[in-house]
Amino acid sequence: MVKLRVPPVTERLAPLISKLVASSPLRHAPFRLFYFGSIGTALGYTMQATVAAWLMATLTPSALMVALVQTATTAPALLFGLAAGALADIVDRKKVILATQILLLTATALLGAAEIAGIVGPASLLLVTFLIGTGFTFYMPAQQASVNGFVSREELSRAVALGAVAMNLARAIGPALAGALAAWVGSGNALLASAAFFGLMLISLRSWRNRELALPGVPEKLFSGVLSGLRFARHSPAMRSLISRNLTFSVCASALWALLPVIARDQLSLGAGGYGLLSAGFGVGAVFGALSIPGELQRRSLNSIVVSAVFLWIVATVLVALARVPGLAVLGTCGAGMAWVGVLASLSAGTQSTAPAWVRARAVAMNLVSMQASLALGSVVWGALAAATNTRVALATSAGTMILLYGLNRRTRVQMGSEADVSPGTQLPDLAIAFEPLPDDGPVLIQIEYQIPPEHREAFIRAAHAAQRTRRRNGAISWRVFRDLSEEGRFVERFIIASWAEYVRLRQRMTIADRKLQERMEDFQRNGVPIRISRLIGIESN
C-alpha cells in the first residue's frame, strides 16, 4: 500500500506567505523590521493594560479603581495628543520613538518588578499606568507619520492597512496572552514579558535610515508647533473633511465598544467567555477588513470605501441589537470589525497622503485625538442611554444617529492626496533684503503688488482666493487682497506672519500644488510689468 505524504501545514503555508510578502511593502527589509517592531509595541501595550486592570482588581474591591485603570490608559491621548504630534514634527521622529520605547520598557519592567516584590498599591499602579499611556501617546504619531519614509506613495495605503492589522491583532491576542501569562506565572512576570515586547522596536531602530529631512532654519517651539498644526487643519479642506468623517463615525461607533461587555452579560446572558467570543469576532473582522483595503483602494475611491464601511457598521450594529443568540451577535461584531478598520484605516491613509512632511505627525495626532475624544464622549452618552433603557435601544439609536449625521454630512468627501500636495515646491530664490532680522522679530507684513488687465480681473480674484488657503495653512495669521481706487488694474495682496522665523518656514513649507496656485495668480499679470514684493517687519516704540 502506497502511503501518500501530506505536507505539513507550514510547508503548505510557506509559498502563500512568500507570495503575499513579495507583493506587499513587507518585501522592503527596513519596513519589515519597523513593522514587526510596531507589532511588538502594540502587543506590549495591550498586554500591560490588561494585566494592570487585573492587578487592580486583586488590590482593591472598588469597581471605580478598576475603571480608573482604563482612564489612566486613555487620558494621556486627550491631554497630550496634539503636543505629541507637534513634537514628532519638530524633533527627529526616530529619536521620539527611541525615547518612548525606553520609557515604555523601563516603566513596565519596574511595575512588574514592584509587583513581584509586593510593593505595588492602587495609587502607584495608576501613576505608572498613566506614565505608560503618556509614552504610548507620544509614540503613536511619530510611528504612523514615519511609514511614509519606508515605502513609496503607491504602497502607502497597503502599509497603513498592515498597521491596522498589527493593531487589531494586538487587541485580539494581547489581552488573551496577558491573561494566560498572569494565570500561569503571575501578574509581575506577565508585566516583565510585556516589557520585553517593547525591545523589538529598539532592535528595528538600529537599521533605520530616515529619508525625510527636517526643514532648515530655526526649529519650531512646541506651543507654536501645536498652533501651526491647528491652523493647517483649519485652512486645509482635505484635513477638515477627514477629521469631520472621523468625528461623526467614532462618536456613534463608540456605542458598540462601550456596551460590548454589557451586551454579552445582559442581552445574551453570557459570561466572560462570551465577551471574549464577541471581541474575537470583532478582531477577526478587523483583520479581514485591513487585508482588503489595499485592493479596494486600487479599484475604488477613498470616499466610496469610507461610505460603504459606514453603512456596513450601521447594518452590523443593528444586527447585534437584534441578536438573541451568540452566533448572530458574533456575525455582527465581525462585520463591525471590518467596518471599523474600513473607516479608520482608510482615513489614516488619507491623512498621511494629504499632509506634507512638516505637519504629518500633527495631522495624524489630530485624527487620533478626534477618535479618542469621540469614543470618550460617546461612551458616556450611550452608556447612560443603555442604563435608562437597554442595550438594544442604545445600539439602535447609535445606528440611527450615524445615518442622520451622514445625511447632514453627505457632501463632505474624503480623498487621497496627490504627489503635488505633499512634495516640496521648487527652490525659491534667496531673499533680497538689506538686513537679516532675528528669528523672533515681527510681525512680518508681506505685500505683493499686481497689475491686472480688466479682462482678467474676475479670474485673478478667484485665483487669489484659492491661493489664500495655502498662505494661511502654511503660516499667515491674516490675509486680504485689495484693489487700488486711484490706479486702475492695481491689486495688492497682503498677509501677516507672526515672526521672521515663521515667514522663513512659510516659504519652505510650500508644496508643488501650493506653488501652482500662486503661479496661477501671476499668470494674469500685465505683460512687461514686474510683480513687486515688499517685506516689512513690525517695530516697537522706544
Side-chain angles (χ1 to χ4, degrees), residues 318-329:
V318 171
L319 192 61
V320 175
L322 296 175
R324 298 185 181 276
V325 294
L328 194 60

Side-chain angles (χ1 to χ4, degrees), residues 143-416:
Q143 184 267 336
Q144 291 194 19
S146 298
V147 173
N148 296 63
F150 289 97
V151 300
S152 65
R153 286 187 60 80
E154 292 74 19
E155 297 176 307
L156 178 61
S157 60
R158 284 178 285 175
V160 172
L162 284 171
V165 172
M167 285 302 300
N168 284 284
L169 278 176
R171 287 194 184 105
I173 298 173
L177 181 58
L181 286 174
W184 182 33
V185 296
S187 297
N189 287 313
L191 286 168
L192 293 178
S194 64
F197 279 104
F198 296 119
L200 293 177
M201 180 59 84
L202 292 174
I203 295 172
S204 74
L205 292 178
R206 297 176 60 184
S207 61
W208 183 2
R209 299 293 181 267
N210 195 356
R211 299 190 318 194
E212 294 184 331
L213 301 178
L215 293 177
V218 180
E220 288 183 272
K221 297 178 182 178
L222 189 61
F223 181 69
S224 65
V226 171
L227 295 180
S228 295
L230 292 173
R231 183 177 58 239
F232 176 86
R234 178 186 174 189
H235 296 290
S236 170
M239 273 301 303
R240 290 203 306 271
S241 296
L242 290 162
I243 293 174
S244 175
R245 282 290 187 204
N246 190 326
L247 287 170
T248 55
F249 173 77
S250 297
V251 74
C252 298
S254 62
L256 188 59
W257 275 113
L259 299 175
L260 201 58
V262 186
I263 293 168
R265 186 190 66 191
D266 298 342
Q267 181 176 319
L268 300 174
S269 301
L270 301 173
Y275 171 54
L277 184 63
L278 296 179
S279 299
F282 190 96
V284 170
V287 171
F288 276 107
L291 291 174
S292 68
I293 287 175
E296 289 296 309
L297 283 172
Q298 292 178 349
R299 296 186 293 270
R300 303 164 59 196
S301 69
L302 181 69
N303 191 72
S304 66
I305 293 173
V306 171
V307 171
S308 298
V310 166
F311 280 97
L312 175 59
W313 180 277
I314 292 169
V315 172
T317 302
V318 171
L319 192 61
V320 175
L322 296 175
R324 298 185 181 276
V325 294
L328 194 60
V330 170
L331 181 62
T333 58
C334 185
M338 293 181 64
W340 175 268
V341 173
V343 173
L344 296 182
S346 297
L347 293 179
S348 179
T351 299
Q352 295 182 52
S353 69
T354 298
W358 69 269
V359 75
R360 186 173 298 132
R362 277 168 278 195
V364 168
M366 281 184 276
N367 255 329
L368 292 173
V369 171
S370 299
M371 183 187 71
Q372 291 287 353
S374 298
L375 291 176
L377 174 62
S379 296
V380 174
V381 172
W382 306 122
L385 181 58
T389 56
N390 56 56
T391 56
R392 299 182 192 278
V393 172
L395 289 175
T397 305
S398 74
T401 304
M402 189 175 287
I403 294 174
L404 176 62
L405 291 176
Y406 172 76
L408 296 174
N409 210 29
R410 66 184 183 280
R411 294 187 179 180
T412 299
R413 302 183 66 84
V414 293
Q415 59 186 8
M416 297 289 286

Side-chain angles (χ1 to χ4, degrees), residues 52-53 56-57 60-71 121-123 125-126:
M56 181 64 80
T60 173
S62 171
L64 174 62
M65 294 300 292
V66 176
L68 284 177
V69 174
Q70 180 67 16
T71 302
L125 177 58
L126 288 177

Side-chain angles (χ1 to χ4, degrees), residues 105-122:
L105 190 154
T106 304
T108 305
L110 288 176
L111 183 62
E115 199 283 327
I116 293 173
I119 57 175
V120 174

Side-chain angles (χ1 to χ4, degrees), residues 428-444:
L428 295 175
D430 293 336
L431 294 171
I433 53 178
F435 72 96
E436 181 74 21
L438 295 174
D440 291 333
D441 286 349
V444 179

